[in-house]
Amino acid sequence: MKHLKELFDKNSSEIQLGALISMIHRSYMFYINHSLKDLDITAAQIPFLYYISKNKDISQEDLAFKFNIDKGAVARAIKRMNDQNIILREIDTENRRRYKLSLTSKGELISKKINEINDKWENNVCDSISILNNEELKDLFKKIACESILSNRDIINNELGKDNE
Protein backbone atom coordinates (compact mmCIF):
# COMPACT_ATOMS: atom_id res chain seq x y z
CA MET A 1 0.00 0.00 0.00
CA LYS A 2 3.06 2.25 0.23
CA HIS A 3 3.05 2.53 -3.57
CA LEU A 4 -0.61 3.52 -3.55
CA LYS A 5 0.10 6.36 -1.13
CA GLU A 6 2.95 7.52 -3.38
CA LEU A 7 0.60 7.47 -6.34
CA PHE A 8 -2.03 9.49 -4.46
CA ASP A 9 0.60 12.02 -3.39
CA LYS A 10 2.03 12.55 -6.90
CA ASN A 11 0.96 15.43 -9.05
CA SER A 12 -1.05 14.06 -12.00
CA SER A 13 1.21 15.87 -14.46
CA GLU A 14 4.09 13.67 -13.23
CA ILE A 15 2.37 10.45 -14.38
CA GLN A 16 2.05 9.32 -17.98
CA LEU A 17 -1.48 8.59 -19.21
CA GLY A 18 -0.34 5.20 -20.52
CA ALA A 19 0.94 4.27 -17.07
CA LEU A 20 -2.39 5.19 -15.49
CA ILE A 21 -4.33 3.21 -18.07
CA SER A 22 -2.02 0.25 -17.50
CA MET A 23 -2.58 0.42 -13.71
CA ILE A 24 -6.35 0.54 -14.20
CA HIS A 25 -6.23 -2.36 -16.67
CA ARG A 26 -4.06 -4.57 -14.44
CA SER A 27 -6.25 -3.84 -11.42
CA TYR A 28 -9.41 -4.59 -13.42
CA MET A 29 -7.95 -7.85 -14.79
CA PHE A 30 -6.96 -8.95 -11.28
CA TYR A 31 -10.47 -8.21 -9.97
CA ILE A 32 -12.21 -9.91 -12.90
CA ASN A 33 -9.99 -13.01 -12.88
CA HIS A 34 -10.47 -13.38 -9.12
CA SER A 35 -14.24 -12.94 -9.44
CA LEU A 36 -14.52 -15.39 -12.36
CA LYS A 37 -12.35 -18.23 -11.07
CA ASP A 38 -15.41 -20.32 -10.10
CA LEU A 39 -16.78 -19.98 -13.65
CA ASP A 40 -13.62 -21.39 -15.29
CA ILE A 41 -13.24 -18.49 -17.70
CA THR A 42 -10.65 -15.76 -17.99
CA ALA A 43 -10.86 -12.02 -18.34
CA ALA A 44 -9.52 -12.36 -21.89
CA GLN A 45 -12.74 -14.15 -22.89
CA ILE A 46 -15.02 -11.42 -21.54
CA PRO A 47 -14.97 -9.04 -24.52
CA PHE A 48 -15.78 -11.92 -26.86
CA LEU A 49 -18.66 -13.12 -24.68
CA TYR A 50 -20.04 -9.63 -24.33
CA TYR A 51 -19.87 -8.89 -28.04
CA ILE A 52 -21.36 -12.25 -29.02
CA SER A 53 -24.21 -11.68 -26.56
CA LYS A 54 -25.00 -8.30 -28.16
CA ASN A 55 -24.52 -9.27 -31.82
CA LYS A 56 -26.47 -12.13 -33.34
CA ASP A 57 -24.60 -14.41 -35.76
CA ILE A 58 -21.26 -12.63 -35.45
CA SER A 59 -18.26 -14.44 -36.95
CA GLN A 60 -14.75 -15.09 -35.66
CA GLU A 61 -13.43 -12.75 -38.35
CA ASP A 62 -15.79 -10.02 -37.15
CA LEU A 63 -14.40 -10.42 -33.63
CA ALA A 64 -10.81 -10.27 -34.84
CA PHE A 65 -11.54 -7.06 -36.73
CA LYS A 66 -13.65 -5.53 -33.94
CA PHE A 67 -10.99 -6.06 -31.27
CA ASN A 68 -7.98 -5.60 -33.55
CA ILE A 69 -6.72 -9.07 -32.57
CA ASP A 70 -5.02 -11.77 -34.59
CA LYS A 71 -7.50 -14.27 -36.14
CA GLY A 72 -5.54 -17.17 -34.63
CA ALA A 73 -5.89 -15.77 -31.10
CA VAL A 74 -9.63 -15.35 -31.63
CA ALA A 75 -9.91 -18.91 -33.01
CA ARG A 76 -8.14 -20.33 -29.93
CA ALA A 77 -10.39 -18.39 -27.53
CA ILE A 78 -13.52 -19.41 -29.45
CA LYS A 79 -12.44 -23.06 -29.54
CA ARG A 80 -11.90 -23.05 -25.78
CA MET A 81 -15.31 -21.49 -25.14
CA ASN A 82 -16.90 -23.93 -27.58
CA ASP A 83 -15.24 -26.86 -25.76
CA GLN A 84 -16.58 -25.45 -22.48
CA ASN A 85 -20.11 -25.29 -23.94
CA ILE A 86 -20.21 -21.51 -23.49
CA ILE A 87 -20.70 -20.67 -27.15
CA LEU A 88 -22.06 -22.39 -30.22
CA ARG A 89 -19.95 -22.30 -33.35
CA GLU A 90 -22.03 -23.12 -36.42
CA ILE A 91 -21.07 -23.08 -40.09
CA ASP A 92 -22.81 -20.25 -41.93
CA THR A 93 -25.07 -21.78 -44.59
CA GLU A 94 -24.45 -18.78 -46.88
CA ASN A 95 -20.65 -18.94 -46.55
CA ARG A 96 -19.32 -22.35 -45.50
CA ARG A 97 -15.91 -20.90 -44.57
CA ARG A 98 -17.54 -18.62 -42.00
CA TYR A 99 -18.63 -19.65 -38.50
CA LYS A 100 -21.58 -17.95 -36.81
CA LEU A 101 -21.22 -17.58 -33.06
CA SER A 102 -23.88 -17.49 -30.39
CA LEU A 103 -24.10 -18.11 -26.66
CA THR A 104 -25.39 -21.35 -25.17
CA SER A 105 -27.67 -21.22 -22.14
CA LYS A 106 -24.54 -21.69 -20.01
CA GLY A 107 -22.94 -18.79 -21.90
CA GLU A 108 -26.00 -16.62 -21.25
CA LEU A 109 -25.74 -17.30 -17.51
CA ILE A 110 -22.02 -16.56 -17.50
CA SER A 111 -22.60 -13.37 -19.51
CA LYS A 112 -25.18 -12.22 -16.96
CA LYS A 113 -22.76 -12.96 -14.10
CA ILE A 114 -19.97 -11.07 -15.89
CA ASN A 115 -22.23 -8.04 -16.30
CA GLU A 116 -23.00 -8.12 -12.56
CA ILE A 117 -19.30 -8.39 -11.67
CA ASN A 118 -18.36 -5.62 -14.09
CA ASP A 119 -21.13 -3.33 -12.80
CA LYS A 120 -19.94 -3.92 -9.24
CA TRP A 121 -16.34 -3.07 -10.20
CA GLU A 122 -17.41 0.08 -12.07
CA ASN A 123 -19.57 1.21 -9.16
CA ASN A 124 -16.77 0.57 -6.65
CA VAL A 125 -14.17 2.36 -8.74
CA CYS A 126 -16.30 5.27 -9.93
CA ASP A 127 -18.32 5.85 -6.76
CA SER A 128 -15.85 8.35 -5.32
CA ILE A 129 -15.48 10.30 -8.57
CA SER A 130 -17.65 13.38 -8.44
CA ILE A 131 -16.14 15.32 -11.36
CA LEU A 132 -17.73 13.17 -14.07
CA ASN A 133 -20.61 10.76 -14.08
CA ASN A 134 -19.96 7.18 -15.17
CA GLU A 135 -21.22 7.73 -18.73
CA GLU A 136 -19.07 10.83 -19.22
CA LEU A 137 -16.04 8.93 -17.95
CA LYS A 138 -16.74 6.04 -20.34
CA ASP A 139 -17.22 8.48 -23.19
CA LEU A 140 -13.87 10.10 -22.42
CA PHE A 141 -12.09 6.72 -22.32
CA LYS A 142 -13.88 5.65 -25.52
CA LYS A 143 -12.49 8.73 -27.27
CA ILE A 144 -9.00 7.99 -25.94
CA ALA A 145 -9.28 4.35 -27.08
CA CYS A 146 -10.42 5.36 -30.57
CA GLU A 147 -7.63 7.91 -30.96
CA SER A 148 -5.10 5.38 -29.69
CA ILE A 149 -6.24 2.76 -32.21
CA LEU A 150 -6.27 5.33 -35.02
CA SER A 151 -2.73 6.43 -34.20
CA ASN A 152 -1.56 2.82 -34.36
CA ARG A 153 -3.32 2.28 -37.68
CA ASP A 154 -1.55 5.34 -39.06
CA ILE A 155 1.78 3.83 -38.01
CA ILE A 156 0.86 0.46 -39.54
CA ASN A 157 -0.32 2.08 -42.79
CA ASN A 158 2.88 4.11 -43.00
CA GLU A 159 4.96 0.98 -42.44
CA LEU A 160 2.98 -0.90 -45.12
CA GLY A 161 3.41 2.02 -47.50
CA LYS A 162 7.18 1.88 -47.00
CA ASP A 163 7.19 -1.86 -47.75
CA ASN A 164 5.24 -1.32 -50.98
CA GLU A 165 7.66 1.34 -52.32
Side-chain angles (χ1 to χ4, degrees), residues 109-121:
L109 291 172
I110 290 172
S111 181
K112 183 178 179 199
K113 179 71 173 166
I114 289 168
N115 287 334
E116 291 168 2
I117 291 167
N118 189 64
D119 288 348
K120 183 178 177 185
W121 182 83

Side-chain angles (χ1 to χ4, degrees), residues 9-22:
D9 292 343
K10 273 193 174 188
N11 184 323
S12 294
S13 64
E14 298 175 34
I15 309 167
Q16 294 178 335
L17 179 60
L20 292 171
I21 292 170
S22 178

Side-chain angles (χ1 to χ4, degrees), residues 5 11 13 34 36 41 49 71 75 82 89 92 94 106 113 118 121 124 128 134 150 154:
K5 182 177 177 352
N11 184 323
S13 64
H34 175 76
L36 296 176
I41 64 167
L49 283 171
K71 288 181 184 179
N82 185 252
R89 188 174 165 244
D92 188 340
E94 295 176 16
K106 178 181 177 182
K113 179 71 173 166
N118 189 64
W121 182 83
N124 288 342
S128 64
N134 203 2
L150 285 173
D154 288 344

Side-chain angles (χ1 to χ4, degrees), residues 18-124:
L20 292 171
I21 292 170
S22 178
M23 286 179 222
I24 294 167
H25 178 72
R26 285 193 318 268
S27 177
Y28 174 73
M29 295 303 268
F30 176 83
Y31 180 86
I32 291 294
N33 280 323
H34 175 76
S35 300
L36 296 176
K37 65 183 171 190
D38 294 340
L39 298 176
D40 192 33
I41 64 167
T42 65
Q45 294 170 311
I46 291 174
F48 300 134
L49 283 171
Y50 181 79
Y51 204 73
I52 293 167
S53 75
K54 300 294 182 194
N55 296 277
K56 186 174 168 42
D57 296 333
I58 187 150
S59 72
Q60 288 179 203
E61 292 79 17
D62 295 335
L63 288 175
F65 181 77
K66 163 74 177 152
F67 293 107
N68 200 25
I69 298 174
D70 177 72
K71 288 181 184 179
V74 173
R76 287 186 295 277
I78 295 303
K79 181 179 179 346
R80 181 168 188 242
M81 289 188 285
N82 185 252
D83 292 346
Q84 293 172 291
N85 194 32
I86 295 171
I87 63 161
L88 290 174
R89 188 174 165 244
E90 301 174 300
I91 294 175
D92 188 340
T93 55
E94 295 176 16
N95 179 353
R96 302 205 43 84
R97 293 181 296 155
R98 182 177 188 261
Y99 287 97
K100 296 190 303 185
L101 306 173
S102 60
L103 297 181
T104 63
S105 55
K106 178 181 177 182
E108 293 283 349
L109 291 172
I110 290 172
S111 181
K112 183 178 179 199
K113 179 71 173 166
I114 289 168
N115 287 334
E116 291 168 2
I117 291 167
N118 189 64
D119 288 348
K120 183 178 177 185
W121 182 83
E122 284 184 16
N123 289 335
N124 288 342

